Amino acid sequence: MIVRDSERAIMDAIREGNTLAFQQVFNANFQALCQYGFTILRDPDEAQDIVQAMFLKLWEKRNELDIKQSVRSYLFRAVYHQCMNHLEHRSVKEKHKVYHTYEKQTETQQPEIFPLELEDNITAAINGLPEQCRLIFMMSRYDEMRYAEIADKLKISINTVENQISKALKILRLKLKEI
């Protein structure tokens, strides 16, 4: 596309800081650009914000302007790209919002329990075990003895040790479930 001399003159004037030339381009294109932005964003306020921001950026970077097509097509393309960036940003924000909503829904309300209270509850649960079951559990978990060592020391079978440990764990799970 060839840039007409009149458009080149307008862009040169804008580059030089001519506010009247800029105002002329703004007035000639603002409404059409807002309508175009609306067709992409489906929000008139966002579309208007995008167009205004694009014109502001155009004015701020006027010294760097190097438009090789018609001014109007340049402006429409700039609005298009700004709208696409805005939609992508909106999508990221929505995903973030959905993620945090999901996180809040899946959080389980844990009662606040202090470490000493937790330790007291565990100790009470262990002390509530039947005597042989408690002894075998303590030897296994606190003394870090292997099942064979426990069986040897207590003169019982390894199978009995396994059964007693299993029994202790089931009882403890039930008692500590509410914590």
Side-chain angles (χ1 to χ4, degrees):
M1 206 176 223
I2 299 172
V3 179
R4 294 183 308 214
D5 288 338
S6 62
E7 286 188 338
R8 190 168 305 193
I10 289 172
M11 292 316 300
D12 288 341
I14 291 172
R15 229 179 274 115
E16 293 168 7
N18 184 325
T19 56
L20 290 176
F22 180 77
Q23 188 68 42
Q24 181 183 359
V25 171
F26 180 89
N27 291 338
N29 295 287
F30 182 76
Q31 203 57 35
L33 291 169
C34 286
Q35 289 172 349
Y36 178 62
F38 174 75
T39 63
I40 298 169
L41 301 174
R42 296 290 181 218
D43 184 317
D45 294 330
E46 286 181 348
Q48 189 173 6
D49 289 346
I50 294 286
V51 173
Q52 287 174 345
M54 184 272 309
F55 271 112
L56 177 63
K57 190 174 181 180
L58 180 76
W59 180 253
E60 289 173 345
K61 300 203 182 251
R62 65 186 177 275
N63 295 331
E64 303 166 21
L65 283 179
D66 186 29
I67 298 175
K68 301 201 184 317
Q69 71 268 13
S70 77
V71 174
R72 187 169 173 85
S73 72
Y74 173 85
L75 296 174
F76 273 87
R77 196 163 28 108
V79 167
Y80 172 80
H81 289 293
Q82 290 298 316
C83 287
M84 291 296 113
N85 289 342
H86 184 76
L87 287 174
E88 186 175 335
H89 181 69
R90 187 194 294 170
S91 172
V92 168
K93 280 175 40 179
E94 186 60 32
K95 285 178 185 174
H96 186 72
K97 181 180 169 185
V98 166
Y99 173 76
H100 281 293
T101 302
Y102 174 76
E103 283 292 309
K104 285 181 181 179
Q105 289 174 349
T106 58
E107 281 180 3
T108 55
Q109 195 71 17
Q110 294 291 331
E112 285 192 31
I113 189 159
F114 296 100
L116 293 176
E117 289 175 333
L118 181 60
E119 188 176 325
D120 289 346
N121 288 334
I122 292 171
T123 302
I126 291 172
N127 289 336
L129 292 172
E131 190 171 332
Q132 184 180 17
C133 188
R134 182 179 72 244
L135 178 63
I136 292 171
F137 181 80
M138 297 287 287
M139 292 172 86
S140 170
R141 297 301 193 260
Y142 289 95
D143 297 337
E144 298 178 0
M145 294 174 70
R146 288 179 283 159
Y147 289 0
E149 293 172 323
I150 297 169
D152 238 11
K153 188 169 184 173
L154 298 178
K155 310 273 189 251
I156 56 176
S157 72
I158 293 176
N159 194 30
T160 301
V161 172
E162 289 173 355
N163 289 338
Q164 291 297 314
I165 294 289
S166 178
K167 179 179 176 180
L169 291 173
K170 284 179 188 175
I171 292 169
L172 292 174
R173 275 190 211 105
L174 285 173
K175 287 184 177 184
L176 298 173
K177 188 177 184 179
E178 295 101 33
I179 297 178

